[in-house]
Amino acid sequence: MTTTLPEPTDLQVAIHVGQRLLDSDNVLSLQEALRLILRALGAEPDGAPPADEPPAVQATPTEVHHANGATYKVIGAISYTARMARDVRDVTMADGTVWKTGLPIGWHGTPAAWQPGCGAPAAVCIEGYSPRDGRAHGSLDHTVYACAGHTADARADWLSGYTTYTCTGTPEGRRCGERFDYTTLGGGQ
């Protein structure tokens, strides 16, 4: 007597494929597994997805503010004024972004702030991780954006001491040299 097993349903096949691909880093395989699951659930989209709204244009700030109320005038990182400034240091501003700050010569006490990089549209986002629980990529601490020409600088200098991971496809409006410091937000990122 031969026993035939019932043929698996589309959902069972999709779940099996999804489970097998869970640890995959192959985007096309993951997309195919998701498509199978959506089809099995009767939730496959009809036609092309709607277009995203165009991103808002971000104006370059003329001032940045520290949590203590100090205001810094924004200048270009490659400007003569930034290169000749005294008492240069990294400062985390009230919004969590990290800026270089200093006292430009001849400004008579007016502090200035700039971010490393050239300000060109960013080509990559580079994440800086600290080790945690035995993993090199344990805690996301910093994110920096860089153009193609400053990617190596961002990894080696701007995120020195961190394990880095480079993501392509940065959000519109990000500029080379923009940074975000997650450690100032508190909590375990």
Side-chain angles (χ1 to χ4, degrees):
M1 179 170 161
T2 314
T3 318
T4 51
L5 296 173
E7 186 153 334
T9 65
D10 286 345
L11 182 57
Q12 289 170 326
V13 170
I15 290 171
H16 178 74
V17 169
Q19 288 171 336
R20 302 282 296 213
L21 292 173
L22 200 55
D23 291 328
S24 174
D25 60 357
N26 184 331
V27 174
L28 293 176
S29 296
L30 294 172
Q31 287 176 335
E32 183 62 18
L34 181 57
R35 189 183 60 72
L36 287 171
I37 291 171
L38 290 173
R39 181 184 294 157
L41 294 172
E44 200 168 15
D46 297 330
D52 291 335
E53 290 292 318
V57 176
Q58 293 179 328
T60 303
T62 57
E63 295 180 338
V64 289
H65 304 280
H66 190 268
N68 70 5
T71 299
Y72 297 83
K73 182 178 179 188
V74 174
I75 61 175
I78 60 173
S79 67
Y80 177 80
T81 305
R83 291 192 319 261
M84 299 307 293
R86 297 168 305 180
D87 300 322
V88 175
R89 64 191 65 163
D90 287 332
V91 174
T92 301
M93 299 300 169
D95 64 358
T97 57
V98 178
W99 293 72
K100 293 270 187 205
T101 63
L103 297 172
I105 294 172
W107 282 29
H108 307 291
T110 303
W114 60 94
Q115 292 183 315
C118 61
V124 296
C125 168
I126 304 171
E127 299 171 341
Y129 291 85
S130 292
R132 180 182 284 171
D133 300 327
R135 296 179 309 173
H137 288 85
S139 173
L140 175 59
D141 291 343
H142 296 278
T143 298
V144 298
Y145 297 89
C147 67
H150 284 109
T151 300
D153 292 337
R155 293 177 69 91
D157 298 333
W158 307 347
L159 291 172
S160 176
Y162 293 97
T163 301
T164 58
Y165 176 77
T166 303
C167 312
T168 56
T170 61
E172 289 285 327
R174 293 294 186 174
R175 298 279 178 197
C176 178
E178 288 184 17
R179 306 168 73 166
F180 192 81
D181 181 355
Y182 293 97
T183 62
T184 60
L185 298 178
Q189 247 80 8

